[in-house]
Amino acid sequence: MEHEVFVPVTVERLREALGDPVRVARAVPGLQQDAGADPVAGRLKVRVGSHSITYRGAVRVTGRDDGSYAVEGDATETRGTGSVTLALTLRLRDTEGGTTLTFDGTATADGRVTELPQDAVGSAVVRLLNRFAEALGETEEEPEEKPEQSEEKPETPEPVGTPEPPAPPVDDFTEPAGPPAEAAHARRTMIGRSAEEVDHAPPRGRYAPVPAPQTVASGATLRWAAPAAAVVLASAIVVTRVLRKRR
C-alpha cells in the first residue's frame, strides 16, 4: 500500500504533532478512547461501502533516525473474531506551501472485511488516511487557561455633610384610630346586605328604637264572648222544648 497526502502545514509543525501521543489520538477520525489506556487506544468504527465494522485496538507512532515514522497497529472486531494488523512507514517531505505525507507499508486482515469488495476496502483506507493527515495538521496544543482575576471596584467614599433622612412620623394614640365599637358592630352586621336594605333597615343594638308597650283591650274579649253565650243559651232552650214534646 502506498498513498500521499498534501497538508498546508510546515514540516516542523507536523513533527511536533507526531511526537505528542495525545495530539495523534485527536487526529484519528472517530476514535473513542478507552479510559486509563494508552492515548492512541480505543474503539474505531470503519465504514466500508454500505457496511460498518467496529474495531478495538491501539496504534503506536515511533520516530526513526532517518526522520521517518513507524506506524504500527493491531485491532480486533468487537462483534466477531476478525482482526487487522497494520505496519506502515510515514515520511514527511517539504513541499511548496506545505508538506506531503507519504504512507507505504502492509496491512493484513481477516474476518468480515475479507468478505467485502476490495475496491470498497481500498477507498475506506484512503479516506481514513486523508482525514488523519488533515486532522494532524489542524491539531494544536490547547492554551493554558489563565486564572480569572477578580476586579474589585474601589469603594466610593460617602460625601461629607450628607443630611440625615427625616424620621418617620409617629402615630398619635390619644385619639381612637377607628370608629366606636357600636358603629363597627352595626357595620359588620350590614355586610352582605344590599344598599337598599341598609338604607331602609331600622337600626339595631344600642341605637334601636324601643317599641311601645302593647295594651290588651277588654272590650274586644267581651265583644266576642257575648254572641257565643247567646248561641249556647238558644241551643239549650231548643233541646228542652223537644224533650217536653216527646214526653
Side-chain angles (χ1 to χ4, degrees):
M1 180 182 63
E2 184 175 352
H3 181 64
E4 289 187 353
V5 183
F6 173 78
V7 180
V9 179
T10 60
V11 174
E12 291 76 11
R13 182 175 172 180
L14 288 177
R15 291 190 182 280
E16 292 177 0
L18 290 171
D20 187 356
V22 176
R23 298 171 66 178
V24 172
R26 288 204 299 262
V28 177
L31 176 64
Q32 299 179 4
Q33 295 177 268
D34 292 337
D38 295 337
V40 195
R43 296 160 55 102
L44 179 64
K45 179 182 291 187
V46 180
R47 187 169 186 82
V48 181
S50 59
H51 301 272
S52 296
I53 306 176
T54 302
Y55 292 95
R56 180 186 295 276
V59 175
R60 295 166 295 278
V61 179
T62 307
R64 295 176 177 175
D65 296 338
D66 59 354
S68 62
Y69 296 87
V71 181
E72 300 175 348
D74 54 85
T76 57
E77 298 178 6
T78 57
R79 296 182 179 180
T81 58
S83 62
V84 174
T85 302
L86 185 68
L88 300 179
T89 300
L90 172 61
R91 295 182 175 84
L92 306 179
R93 186 174 72 253
D94 191 5
T95 309
E96 183 180 358
T99 305
T100 300
L101 287 77
T102 303
F103 299 89
D104 64 86
T106 59
T108 59
D110 56 12
R112 293 179 55 190
V113 70
T114 59
E115 301 173 359
L116 302 177
Q118 293 299 320
D119 55 347
V121 175
S123 299
V125 173
V126 170
R127 183 171 60 253
L128 183 63
L129 293 177
N130 290 341
R131 294 177 60 186
F132 171 74
E134 294 173 0
L136 190 66
E138 296 176 356
T139 56
E140 295 181 2
E141 295 183 358
E142 297 181 356
E144 299 181 358
E145 297 183 358
K146 297 182 179 180
E148 298 182 357
Q149 299 179 356
S150 58
E151 299 180 359
E152 298 182 358
K153 297 182 180 180
E155 298 181 357
T156 305
E158 297 183 357
V160 181
T162 303
E164 297 182 357
V170 182
D171 296 336
D172 186 6
F173 296 98
T174 57
E175 296 294 336
E182 294 82 356
H185 174 72
R187 183 177 58 185
R188 286 195 301 269
T189 56
M190 294 181 183
I191 295 175
R193 303 169 65 182
S194 62
E196 184 178 356
E197 291 177 350
V198 173
D199 294 341
H200 297 283
R204 299 180 181 181
R206 180 176 179 182
Y207 299 97
V210 180
Q214 299 180 358
T215 57
V216 179
S218 59
T221 305
L222 295 177
R223 186 173 54 191
W224 291 99
V231 172
V232 173
L233 181 58
S235 300
I237 294 173
V238 172
V239 173
T240 302
R241 288 180 180 178
V242 171
L243 294 175
R244 286 181 180 177
K245 288 182 180 181
R246 289 182 180 182
R247 292 178 181 177

